Each structure stands twice: as C-alpha cells, then as structure tokens.
C-alpha cells in the first residue's frame, strides 16, 4: 500500500483522496496516484529495464534530473497543510531524481531511483538525513515520482531546515528497473547505501558536499529498513558514513512472532491483511521459491491475477478491488499453512527481516509507536525492544500521540512520528 495520500491532513480535514489504514508495513491510498508534472503519463510506462541494465558498479550515479524548486514559504505552507512541523523551515529546496546502479536480490547489477532534496543554503558541507518510506505497490507513488507532500513531507521537512534529505524508492519502484522485492531487508539496505553513494557524488554539482554524519529514519516498512541501514553502516567502520542516530516508526519488526499472527487471527482488518499477505508471498516467491504455481497458495480467481497486481504498474485502488475481503477467501490450505507453519519456508525466509533489532547498536535508537496501532500491532514494538535489550542495547521506546488520520492510528503515526523524529534529530545533531 502506499504513502500516496494526496492532501492528507493529520487533524482530520477531508483530503482529496479517500485513505485507508495499513497492515504490515505502509500506508494505503484509495484513489488515483499523483505523478509529477513532466513525467511520463504514469510512471508505470517508464521502461523497467532488465536485471543487467546498469552499466556500472553499485553506488554509481547514472542520471540526475531536477524535479522541482520550492521556496521556503511554499515548503512551509505545504508542510503545515499536511500536518508536518514547519517551524524550522529556513530555506527553499531543490528536488532531484537520481538514478543509480545497485544490485538485485541475486546480486546482479540493476538500476534504482530515489529522491534527493537539497537545501538552498550557503553552507557547503551538509549533514544527511535518510527517510525510508512505508509500503508501496505502485511505482508512481515512490518518493522520486510522487508529487505528493504526504510521501515527501519528512524529506522536505529535513531539507528545508538545512540537511540534505535522501529518500530511496527501493528496487522496482519509481524509475528503477524490475519489480519490488517487498520487505527484503538486504536490498532495502543496499539500495539505500548505494543511493547515499550516488548522492555524495552528485552533491558537488549543487555547490555542496556531504559530511560523514548520517541520521536515519523510517516509517512502517521503512522502520525496518532504517534499522537495517544503520546496522550495515556501523558494520563498515572504514566507510564514509557515520550514523549518529536512528529513528524507527511503527515498524513490523517481528513478522513471524507478532504481525503474521495478527493478520491470521483477524486482529488486522481482512482486506488489508489480504493485500499484505498477497504482496509478501508474490515478492518472496521470486527470491525464496515458496511455490511453483500461484494456484498452490491462492484460490481462484486470485491466483490468476496476483502476480500482475504486484508488478509495480497497478494502482492501489485496482489492487484492493481485485482482492478478497478475508484471508480465508484468498488462500488455499497450503497458502494458510505457509503463514502458520513456524518451521516453514516463509518463516525461514522472514528471518532476515525479524533480526533487524538483534544487533549491538552503538548509536541512539528510538522506537516510536502509537498505542493500539490497528495495523502494525504493538507486539512488534515489544519484540524489538526485547531483542535490543538481549544484546545490551537500551533502545528508547517513545509513545506517539493518538492523532488518527481517517480513523487509522497507524496512518496518523506516520505524521506524528515524522515530527517527533525531526525534533529529536535537530537536538541530537543540528544541520551543519
């Protein structure tokens, strides 16, 4: 599902699009997705290339396109209208779409894209904030493609305060090649780190350069990605970047022990559960070979359509319309067994994702949550905090205010979490 909630306001005023809440790792927008002015008519029409289409090593910048320029007053108005804290906006910004080389789940060269927002400030050396987005199924909803402040708000917030903001699309979304390997921590991490390398190469063209300092944040699916990125950077002490703080908001850190049981039991609403289970099974099958034919795990008529629905070119509205209201209507007995078998292939495949909280973080970690999150259940937070504690890390759990967006506490936490994260980052490491 996506963060394509055009015109969403955290205080409950009516947006242009009807919005539903999310399940495993993101936001659901029920309505037409915005595509930036000047882009192809629907990013889905952009050639996705092949797995060997990138003629360069990981992290090499292949293309940079200036997407937009916004004055400080325009940024401030946009942030305020959509519930984001605009009190620290001091500069206008330039939005750039970067295409760069990275690797796919098999380690093959592939292209990916991302959004880089550069502040219009005189300082040459800039600190960097990474913003990892929640789940998206339609490539036109990704940060580099979406003309939508709900998707780009946290990046605009950081850049207009004086940071350079980097928002990866992940593989197969935006203008990148292939399809999205959903909830695959290794490629979320590599796509982010390679975009950081491309950004570092690109910044001198704007009259700036990146310092070593890195602040990492993410919401929902992006929360796990943020923890994975911080872990990978810390594990490479000889690299350029130094993580100074990491913020994870409403993440599904324990799919095996917390989120999947909530999906199966009905604690998560049925249509949303059907969406996420379909997405993860289709994506993981391409990497981990869970089944040979969709009919083995999906009931008719859904078996004939799920692969197309999650190929990156179908908007959320159409995906929801094409899926059932319950998991029982979606899955065969074998499909349900994939979810519930604690020693089965899906559970083994999810172990990477379930380990994002099991590392000795040497930097401050904050885990933001909203009580009663109806989509990413709070048991995920408990599990993550316990795993950090088991390796001697005192990760701070920080409660967010209950400010639902269209009845969804989880959706509301995307905005309140971004604001709390931004405030913390400003105190922890102000812009250079």
């Amino acid at each position: 599902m996506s963060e394509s909630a055009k015109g969403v306001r955290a205080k409950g005023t009516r947006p242009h699009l009807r919005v539903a809440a999310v399940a495993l790792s993101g936001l659901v927008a029920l309505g037409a997705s915005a595509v930036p002015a000047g882009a192809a008519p629907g990013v889905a029409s952009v050639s996705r290339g092949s797995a060997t289409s990138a003629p360069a090593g990981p992290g090499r910048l292949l293309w940079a396109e200036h997407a937009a320029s916004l004055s400080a007053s325009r940024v401030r108005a946009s942030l305020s209208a959509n519930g984001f804290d605009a009190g620290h906006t001091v500069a206008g910004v330039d939005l750039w779409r970067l295409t760069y080389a990275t690797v796919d789940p098999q380690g093959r060269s592939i292209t990916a894209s991302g959004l880089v927002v550069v502040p219009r400030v005189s300082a040459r050396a800039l600190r960097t904030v990474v913003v990892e987005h929640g789940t998206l199924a339609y490539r036109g909803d990704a940060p580099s493609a979406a003309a939508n402040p709900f998707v780009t708000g946290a990046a605009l917030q950081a850049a207009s305060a004086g940071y350079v903001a980097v928002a990866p699309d992940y593989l197969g979304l935006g203008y990148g090649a292939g399809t999205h390997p959903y909830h695959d921590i290794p490629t979320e991490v590599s796509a982010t780190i390679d975009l950081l390398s491309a950004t570092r190469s690109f910044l001198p063209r704007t009259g700036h350069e990146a310092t070593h300092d890195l602040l990492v944040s993410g919401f929902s699916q992006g929360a796990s990605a943020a923890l994975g990125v911080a872990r990978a950077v810390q594990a490479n002490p000889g690299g350029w970047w130094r993580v100074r703080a990491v913020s994870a908001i409403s993440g599904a850190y324990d799919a095996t022990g917390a989120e999947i049981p909530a999906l199966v039991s009905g604690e998560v609403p049925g249509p949303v559960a059907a969406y996420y289970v379909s997405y993860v099974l289709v994506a993981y099958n391409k990497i981990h070979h869970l089944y040979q034919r969709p009919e083995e795990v999906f009931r008719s008529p859904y078996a004939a359509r799920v692969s197309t629905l999650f190929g990156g070119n179908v908007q959320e509205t159409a995906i929801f319309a094409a899926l059932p209201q319950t998991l029982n209507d979606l899955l065969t007995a074998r499909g349900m067994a994939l979810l519930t078998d604690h020693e089965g292939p899906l559970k083994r495949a999810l172990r990477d994702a379930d380990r994002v909280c099991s590392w000795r973080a040497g930097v401050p970690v904050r885990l933001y949550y909203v009580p009663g999150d109806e989509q990413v259940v709070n048991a995920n937070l408990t599990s993550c905090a316990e795993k950090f504690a088991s390796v001697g890390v005192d990760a701070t759990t920080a409660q967010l205010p209950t400010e639902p967006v269209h009845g969804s506490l989880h959706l509301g936490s995307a905005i309140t979490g971004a604001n709390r994260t931004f405030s913390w980052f400003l105190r922890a490491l102000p812009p250079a």
Side-chain angles (χ1 to χ4, degrees):
M1 307 172 177
S2 79
E3 297 180 2
S4 58
K6 182 179 179 183
V8 169
R9 292 166 173 79
K11 299 301 182 181
T13 55
R14 187 176 182 83
H16 299 298
L17 301 183
R18 194 162 54 89
V19 180
V22 298
L24 186 59
S25 306
L27 303 177
V28 181
L30 302 182
S33 299
V35 175
V43 178
S45 64
V46 175
S47 172
R48 292 183 295 164
S50 67
T52 58
S53 60
R60 181 173 177 182
L61 176 65
L62 302 175
W63 187 262
E65 178 184 3
H66 186 254
S69 296
L70 301 175
S71 66
S73 60
R74 285 188 62 190
V75 173
R76 193 176 295 113
S78 177
L79 292 176
S80 297
N82 289 279
F84 293 94
D85 178 11
H88 297 277
T89 295
V90 296
V93 299
D94 288 298
L95 284 71
W96 293 86
R97 301 185 191 109
L98 268 56
T99 302
Y100 60 99
T102 187
V103 294
D104 72 3
Q106 290 74 39
R108 300 172 300 188
S109 184
I110 196 169
T111 59
S113 58
L115 174 69
V116 175
V117 190
V118 182
R120 293 182 171 182
V121 293
S122 59
R124 180 168 179 81
L126 301 178
R127 289 169 171 158
T128 302
V129 172
V130 170
V131 180
E132 306 278 12
H133 66 73
T135 301
L136 305 173
Y138 176 58
R139 62 175 53 246
D141 289 335
S144 76
N148 186 331
F150 195 76
V151 177
T152 59
L156 292 175
Q157 190 180 54
S160 65
Y163 301 99
V164 58
V166 175
D169 293 336
Y170 309 149
L171 297 187
L173 297 173
Y175 296 86
T179 58
H180 179 47
Y182 173 57
H183 208 55
D184 180 54
I185 301 299
T187 57
E188 290 170 2
V189 170
S190 58
T192 301
I193 290 177
D194 290 340
L195 177 57
L196 284 169
S197 296
T199 300
R200 188 179 164 213
S201 299
F202 165 73
L203 278 176
R205 304 185 193 183
T206 70
H208 302 288
E209 61 186 22
T211 70
H212 297 283
D213 302 309
L214 192 65
L215 297 162
V216 186
S217 67
F219 167 71
S220 211
Q221 178 187 353
S224 293
L227 292 173
V229 167
R231 178 180 59 187
V233 171
Q234 180 176 295
N236 182 26
W240 177 262
W241 303 101
R242 299 289 183 273
V243 175
R244 303 306 185 189
V246 57
S247 167
I249 306 163
S250 301
Y253 315 110
D254 188 356
T256 300
E259 193 63 23
I260 287 178
L263 295 169
V264 172
S265 70
E267 186 176 355
V268 172
V272 183
Y275 172 100
Y276 275 102
V277 168
S278 298
Y279 202 173
V280 77
L281 289 179
V282 169
Y284 267 48
N285 190 55
K286 294 177 181 178
I287 305 171
H288 302 285
H289 312 296
L290 304 177
Y291 54 86
Q292 292 187 358
R293 296 179 300 109
E295 291 80 5
E296 296 171 20
V297 295
F298 297 104
R299 296 184 184 275
S300 177
Y302 312 110
R305 61 181 68 153
V306 287
S307 295
T308 299
L309 291 176
F310 293 98
N313 296 332
V314 181
Q315 295 185 13
E316 307 288 351
T317 315
I319 295 175
F320 272 87
L323 290 175
Q325 298 295 300
T326 70
L327 284 183
N328 285 332
D329 290 334
L330 173 72
L331 298 177
T332 64
R334 183 181 172 192
M336 192 64 74
L338 275 175
L339 295 184
T340 57
D341 184 355
H342 290 283
E343 299 300 325
L346 178 61
K347 299 297 180 72
R348 292 195 297 270
L350 283 164
R351 284 174 183 167
D352 272 344
D354 287 347
R355 291 170 179 160
V356 292
C357 302
S358 301
W359 57 287
R360 295 182 181 274
V363 298
V365 175
R366 285 199 180 181
L367 306 174
Y368 289 94
Y369 73 101
V370 59
D373 191 321
E374 78 288 353
Q375 304 301 327
V376 176
V377 295
N378 289 156
N380 285 284
L381 171 83
T382 302
S383 174
C384 184
E386 290 175 349
K387 288 176 181 176
F388 270 126
S390 72
V391 294
V393 176
D394 185 17
T396 300
T397 59
Q399 182 175 318
L400 296 170
T402 54
E403 297 183 8
V405 169
H406 292 272
S408 169
L409 293 173
H410 185 71
L411 191 61
S413 75
I415 297 174
T416 57
N419 289 337
R420 294 293 178 89
T421 293
F422 180 54
S423 178
W424 178 45
F425 282 175
L426 284 171
R427 296 193 305 272
L429 193 72

mmCIF file of all heavy atoms in Angstrom, residues 151-165:
data_model
loop_
_atom_site.group_PDB
_atom_site.id
_atom_site.type_symbol
_atom_site.label_atom_id
_atom_site.label_comp_id
_atom_site.label_asym_id
_atom_site.label_seq_id
_atom_site.Cartn_x
_atom_site.Cartn_y
_atom_site.Cartn_z
ATOM 1 N N VAL A 151 3.958 11.861 0.874
ATOM 2 C CA VAL A 151 5.078 10.975 0.596
ATOM 3 C C VAL A 151 6.405 11.667 0.876
ATOM 4 O O VAL A 151 7.322 11.084 1.437
ATOM 5 C CB VAL A 151 5.034 10.487 -0.860
ATOM 6 C CG1 VAL A 151 6.244 9.622 -1.194
ATOM 7 C CG2 VAL A 151 3.749 9.715 -1.120
ATOM 8 N N THR A 152 6.507 12.927 0.484
ATOM 9 C CA THR A 152 7.785 13.636 0.541
ATOM 10 C C THR A 152 7.920 14.555 1.750
ATOM 11 O O THR A 152 8.963 15.181 1.932
ATOM 12 C CB THR A 152 7.974 14.475 -0.735
ATOM 13 O OG1 THR A 152 6.898 15.417 -0.849
ATOM 14 C CG2 THR A 152 7.982 13.584 -1.968
ATOM 15 N N GLY A 153 6.874 14.624 2.596
ATOM 16 C CA GLY A 153 6.859 15.611 3.669
ATOM 17 C C GLY A 153 8.051 15.550 4.603
ATOM 18 O O GLY A 153 8.656 16.581 4.923
ATOM 19 N N ALA A 154 8.425 14.354 5.062
ATOM 20 C CA ALA A 154 9.541 14.249 6.001
ATOM 21 C C ALA A 154 10.856 14.694 5.362
ATOM 22 O O ALA A 154 11.705 15.306 6.018
ATOM 23 C CB ALA A 154 9.660 12.820 6.528
ATOM 24 N N ALA A 155 11.031 14.397 4.071
ATOM 25 C CA ALA A 155 12.247 14.827 3.380
ATOM 26 C C ALA A 155 12.265 16.343 3.197
ATOM 27 O O ALA A 155 13.308 16.997 3.386
ATOM 28 C CB ALA A 155 12.356 14.129 2.029
ATOM 29 N N LEU A 156 11.123 16.925 2.847
ATOM 30 C CA LEU A 156 11.043 18.384 2.724
ATOM 31 C C LEU A 156 11.287 19.057 4.073
ATOM 32 O O LEU A 156 11.949 20.101 4.157
ATOM 33 C CB LEU A 156 9.671 18.783 2.186
ATOM 34 C CG LEU A 156 9.348 18.412 0.749
ATOM 35 C CD1 LEU A 156 7.910 18.783 0.424
ATOM 36 C CD2 LEU A 156 10.300 19.108 -0.213
ATOM 37 N N GLN A 157 10.755 18.467 5.111
ATOM 38 C CA GLN A 157 10.925 18.988 6.461
ATOM 39 C C GLN A 157 12.407 19.079 6.821
ATOM 40 O O GLN A 157 12.884 20.101 7.304
ATOM 41 C CB GLN A 157 10.182 18.061 7.421
ATOM 42 C CG GLN A 157 10.031 18.518 8.836
ATOM 43 C CD GLN A 157 9.260 17.486 9.649
ATOM 44 O OE1 GLN A 157 9.631 16.312 9.687
ATOM 45 N NE2 GLN A 157 8.179 17.909 10.297
ATOM 46 N N ALA A 158 13.138 17.998 6.566
ATOM 47 C CA ALA A 158 14.559 17.970 6.909
ATOM 48 C C ALA A 158 15.372 18.908 6.035
ATOM 49 O O ALA A 158 16.229 19.665 6.527
ATOM 50 C CB ALA A 158 15.090 16.542 6.782
ATOM 51 N N ALA A 159 15.123 18.883 4.730
ATOM 52 C CA ALA A 159 15.933 19.699 3.820
ATOM 53 C C ALA A 159 15.694 21.190 4.031
ATOM 54 O O ALA A 159 16.646 21.991 3.974
ATOM 55 C CB ALA A 159 15.636 19.314 2.379
ATOM 56 N N SER A 160 14.468 21.576 4.285
ATOM 57 C CA SER A 160 14.182 22.998 4.466
ATOM 58 C C SER A 160 14.764 23.535 5.764
ATOM 59 O O SER A 160 14.840 24.747 5.963
ATOM 60 C CB SER A 160 12.672 23.253 4.420
ATOM 61 O OG SER A 160 12.009 22.632 5.505
ATOM 62 N N ALA A 161 15.202 22.633 6.658
ATOM 63 C CA ALA A 161 15.891 23.045 7.889
ATOM 64 C C ALA A 161 17.399 23.104 7.700
ATOM 65 O O ALA A 161 18.112 23.562 8.592
ATOM 66 C CB ALA A 161 15.551 22.093 9.026
ATOM 67 N N GLY A 162 17.902 22.610 6.566
ATOM 68 C CA GLY A 162 19.330 22.706 6.282
ATOM 69 C C GLY A 162 20.066 21.400 6.089
ATOM 70 O O GLY A 162 21.266 21.400 5.798
ATOM 71 N N TYR A 163 19.400 20.262 6.240
ATOM 72 C CA TYR A 163 20.009 18.976 5.924
ATOM 73 C C TYR A 163 19.835 18.685 4.431
ATOM 74 O O TYR A 163 18.959 19.257 3.768
ATOM 75 C CB TYR A 163 19.316 17.841 6.688
ATOM 76 C CG TYR A 163 19.324 17.928 8.186
ATOM 77 C CD1 TYR A 163 18.213 18.416 8.875
ATOM 78 C CD2 TYR A 163 20.428 17.499 8.926
ATOM 79 C CE1 TYR A 163 18.191 18.475 10.264
ATOM 80 C CE2 TYR A 163 20.415 17.539 10.316
ATOM 81 C CZ TYR A 163 19.299 18.035 10.986
ATOM 82 O OH TYR A 163 19.280 18.085 12.362
ATOM 83 N N VAL A 164 20.625 17.764 3.902
ATOM 84 C CA VAL A 164 20.274 17.157 2.624
ATOM 85 C C VAL A 164 19.482 15.889 2.948
ATOM 86 O O VAL A 164 19.875 15.104 3.813
ATOM 87 C CB VAL A 164 21.513 16.842 1.754
ATOM 88 C CG1 VAL A 164 22.489 15.927 2.457
ATOM 89 C CG2 VAL A 164 21.092 16.237 0.420
ATOM 90 N N ALA A 165 18.339 15.729 2.309
ATOM 91 C CA ALA A 165 17.447 14.603 2.591
ATOM 92 C C ALA A 165 17.496 13.598 1.447
ATOM 93 O O ALA A 165 17.413 13.980 0.274
ATOM 94 C CB ALA A 165 16.011 15.089 2.798
#
